[in-house]
């Protein structure tokens, strides 16, 4: 299991898919607000003048020297819900992210946010 204390070292690491294809660099990690465990990460994609952030689950991620390997293909990650580099994912779009990866979604405590940037 990956612990929250480890995620400070993930920023700017390469994110790779199960076949070793580089997706891009990890921007931020989001924890589940009910469990405080790392749940999703954002990855920078797009052209240098048009970067965007896509979400990818990290619950099955493995860490290596200089990379974070996720359980989803590069193609699936690149088609994931995205946001601008300086944007914040609206709470009402969280479910869209989970559904993209066929994961169940439950709102956070008090029907609030489920994901919080760490």
């Amino acid at each position: 299991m990956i612990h929250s204390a480890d995620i400070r070292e993930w920023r700017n690491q390469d994110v790779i898919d199960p076949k070793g294809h580089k997706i891009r660099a990890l921007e931020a990690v989001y924890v589940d607000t009910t469990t405080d465990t790392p749940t999703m990460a954002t990855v920078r994609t797009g052209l240098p003048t048009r970067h965007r952030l896509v979400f990818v689950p990290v619950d099955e991620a493995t860490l290596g020297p200089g990379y974070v390997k996720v359980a989803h293909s590069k193609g699936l990650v690149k088609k994931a819900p995205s946001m601008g580099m300086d944007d914040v994912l609206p709470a009402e779009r969280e479910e869209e992210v989970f559904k993209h990866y066929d994961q169940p979604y439950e709102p956070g405590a008090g029907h609030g946010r489920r994901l919080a940037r760490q």
Side-chain angles (χ1 to χ4, degrees), residues 34-110:
T34 58
T35 63
D36 202 35
T37 57
T39 302
M40 295 277 177
T42 52
V43 179
R44 286 188 297 269
T45 63
L47 301 170
T49 58
R50 302 179 94 194
H51 278 142
R52 61 189 180 94
L53 298 173
V54 295
F55 286 83
V56 62
V58 294
D59 54 339
E60 297 179 42
T62 56
L63 303 175
Y67 68 84
V68 177
K69 184 186 285 186
V70 295
H72 303 281
S73 72
K74 179 178 181 176
L76 183 64
V77 174
K78 292 234 175 188
K79 293 177 186 172
S82 66
M83 64 183 182
M85 292 294 292
D86 296 324
D87 294 342
V88 174
L89 182 72
E92 51 278 354
R93 287 197 59 213
E94 288 184 346
E95 185 173 8
E96 179 184 345
V97 173
F98 283 82
K99 283 188 175 193
H100 179 77
Y101 294 102
D102 293 323
Q103 294 188 342
Y105 176 77
E106 293 286 327

Side-chain angles (χ1 to χ4, degrees), residues 1 8 10-13 19-20 33 38 43 48 63 66 75 79 81 86-88 90 94-95 114:
M1 173 182 242
R8 289 186 188 97
W10 296 9
R11 189 175 169 96
N12 296 317
Q13 296 292 318
K19 293 184 177 180
T33 58
V43 179
L63 303 175
K79 293 177 186 172
D86 296 324
D87 294 342
V88 174
E94 288 184 346
E95 185 173 8
R114 167 113 180 248

Side-chain angles (χ1 to χ4, degrees), residues 10-22:
W10 296 9
R11 189 175 169 96
N12 296 317
Q13 296 292 318
D14 289 337
V15 175
I16 62 172
D17 75 1
K19 293 184 177 180
H21 298 122
K22 182 179 173 183

